[in-house]
Amino acid sequence: MITFTSVFVILFFIFVLQGIWLFIAELAGKDLDFFTIIKFLSFYAPTIVPLVLPLSVLLASIMTFGSFAENYEFAAMKSSGISLQRAMKMLTITIGILALVSFFFANNVIPDAQYKFINLRKTIVQQKPAMAIAEGQFNTIGSSNIKVDKKSGDNGEFLEGVTMHVKNNNMGLGANTIIKAKRGVLTSEDDSNYLQLELYDGYYYEDIHPKNFEDRKRLPFAKSSFEKYVVNIDLTKLNQAEIDDGNITSEKMLTVPELKYTLDSLQNSYNKDVMSYADNVVMRSDNIFRKKNQNTINNVTPKVPNANVSPKKDLLSIFTPLERKQILEMAKSNAASTEFSIQSSKTDLEGKTKNINNHWLAIHEKFVIAYSCLLMFFIGAPLGAIIRKGGLGLPIVFAILIFITFHFINTFGRKVAQQDTIPPFLGAWMASLLMTPFAIILTYRATNDIGIMINFDWITDPFKKLFNKITQNNDDNN
């Protein structure tokens, strides 16, 4: 326990320093008091426990059992009739209790810390509006990227050289609106979720995307100047920011029962949207066809085929060339409009699917944290008994290699599951499922004193044979 506690504190401190580096843009130069910074980091700290805890268990297990083996304490235990399983019994129970505690920590403490962390960021931004915008760099807030050259005032609310790139959420074509102003003022109210940005003496540029593809080739745009322009910035968009391993998203603030309740609502909403989009496409196509073609078809007098002539397979042949052209143009326009509607619906449904998958991943990850503690113990304990090395040298090397592999597979599985390529269950448990056989093999070999025997003869033998053959040929020639 002393080794585990020491390792945990050291690793926790290292990851907290990493968190400071991640938030340095938000903390530096904001004139925040020391107590606020401590609260800021304290609310962030619980989110790094899922990373630190398994690594601490792994490293402490390797160090403890490696020290036992290195000092021949295992040999003394076995000579007294104490097997490795018996030596691991109490530690296994302890790690099992630690796994349960880690689950409750992930299910109750982390969501509450995430909620307070986001509220603290919101409070800081409301009290110091300029914190939302760092000087000399683009800052993403909601659907806008904002850059200012210089800030002044007691709270940095007076801005100079403001540039805004506003993204187009509907078209999916990136930033199509650019706003530049010489001066700006940031204001906010305590009970409001919005920042108000007043811009003075500037220009407004906007790319126009006509429905007709031929008109788009001319790249039309609109330009205007203004003396005053007011922009409202939604602070709730801060809740959707993602910061590397500490993803700050809504599902991270929910417990398992709350996640299940939310998932039920999201799934029902998704199913209704699928049916609604399908019905809208059919109804839209039918309405467009009726609206555009009814008058034309009603005024057309189709040719009456001769009874002795076989019916024509091409329906367009009964219309005149002008009517055929009109019908084909209407059909082409209808198809293009329907395709655009389907693509928009597909993008919307993909976003909803990713949100559902994120909620499922959040549920599974709470259990993965608990299981990973047990998994790392059953990897580290037998591995330490096999390598017979304690201290901080070789155990750290093995621990880092194993944990990087585990973390990489875990991150890969999460990203793939978010895109709905694999089920969320498999994405969340991929690393655990792949590493479990490794833990079983190590435990078996350590229990039976087999050790790790890796044979590379199948790689080296061909080179040895080739070298011997070349040497023999040289001797024969001499």
Side-chain angles (χ1 to χ4, degrees), residues 453-465:
M453 294 181 295
I454 303 176
N455 190 355
F456 292 101
D457 291 343
W458 60 279
I459 298 177
T460 59
D461 282 347
F463 294 98
K464 289 181 179 179
K465 292 179 181 180

Side-chain angles (χ1 to χ4, degrees), residues 146-393:
I146 305 175
K147 177 185 176 183
V148 298
D149 295 336
K150 186 178 179 181
K151 297 189 299 184
S152 59
D154 295 337
N155 294 321
E157 68 272 17
F158 300 109
L159 312 177
E160 296 181 11
V162 181
T163 303
M164 289 185 63
H165 292 179
V166 183
K167 301 176 184 177
N168 190 340
N169 295 325
N170 295 326
M171 300 294 292
L173 299 174
N176 69 329
T177 303
I178 299 176
I179 304 173
K180 295 180 70 69
K182 293 183 178 180
R183 296 180 295 109
V185 179
L186 273 172
T187 58
S188 176
E189 297 180 2
D190 293 340
D191 57 348
S192 175
N193 286 327
Y194 289 89
L195 280 177
Q196 191 175 75
L197 175 59
E198 297 179 0
L199 301 176
Y200 299 93
D201 192 12
Y203 294 89
Y204 181 97
Y205 308 88
E206 181 178 5
D207 292 333
I208 299 175
H209 300 279
K211 294 183 178 180
N212 192 336
F213 287 94
E214 295 296 329
D215 294 337
R216 293 185 183 181
K217 294 181 180 180
R218 297 187 297 176
L219 302 176
F221 70 96
K223 175 184 176 182
S224 63
S225 61
F226 58 85
E227 294 183 358
K228 181 179 179 180
Y229 188 82
V230 179
V231 180
N232 291 320
I233 303 173
D234 189 0
L235 292 180
T236 58
K237 298 298 182 181
L238 289 175
N239 298 359
Q240 300 176 3
E242 292 188 357
I243 306 177
D244 295 339
D245 295 327
N247 290 335
I248 303 175
T249 50
S250 58
E251 66 272 5
K252 295 292 184 179
M253 297 186 292
L254 302 177
T255 62
V256 171
E258 292 170 342
L259 284 168
K260 290 183 178 179
Y261 179 82
T262 306
L263 271 170
D264 185 61
S265 301
L266 291 175
Q267 192 63 53
N268 290 335
S269 175
Y270 177 84
N271 295 335
K272 290 179 181 179
D273 287 342
V274 171
M275 298 300 298
S276 176
Y277 289 143
D279 294 340
N280 287 340
V281 169
V282 175
M283 293 176 62
R284 190 170 184 273
S285 301
D286 187 52
N287 291 336
I288 292 175
F289 179 80
R290 289 181 180 180
K291 181 179 179 180
K292 292 184 176 181
N293 301 337
Q294 188 172 10
N295 294 332
T296 302
I297 295 176
N298 289 339
N299 295 330
V300 170
T301 303
K303 301 175 182 178
V304 180
N306 193 329
N308 297 326
V309 180
S310 59
K312 296 182 178 181
K313 296 182 179 180
D314 188 4
L315 295 178
L316 290 176
S317 61
I318 66 176
F319 299 98
T320 63
L322 179 60
E323 293 166 349
R324 294 178 195 172
K325 183 179 179 181
Q326 292 177 347
I327 292 174
L328 290 175
E329 288 179 352
M330 293 175 185
K332 181 180 178 181
S333 176
N334 188 16
S337 178
T338 303
E339 181 185 8
F340 178 79
S341 177
I342 291 174
Q343 290 297 329
S344 300
S345 303
K346 180 181 177 182
T347 302
D348 188 31
L349 290 176
E350 286 177 350
K352 293 180 181 294
T353 301
K354 184 177 180 179
N355 190 26
I356 292 174
N357 290 337
N358 283 334
H359 281 73
W360 276 115
L361 287 169
I363 290 179
H364 291 300
E365 284 174 353
K366 296 180 187 300
F367 295 93
V368 170
I369 293 172
Y371 181 76
S372 62
C373 293
L374 289 171
L375 178 64
M376 292 302 163
F377 173 73
F378 282 102
I379 291 177
L383 184 61
I386 291 173
I387 63 175
R388 298 180 180 179
K389 289 291 181 180
L392 293 174

Side-chain angles (χ1 to χ4, degrees), residues 40 46 50 53 61-62 77 90 104 117 120 141 204 217 220 229 245 253 287 319 345 347 370 384 398 420 446 451:
F40 193 90
L53 190 60
S61 301
I62 296 177
M77 292 181 186
M90 287 306 300
F104 287 105
F117 179 76
L120 180 60
I141 301 179
Y204 181 97
K217 294 181 180 180
Y229 188 82
D245 295 327
M253 297 186 292
N287 291 336
F319 299 98
S345 303
T347 302
F398 278 99
D420 205 34

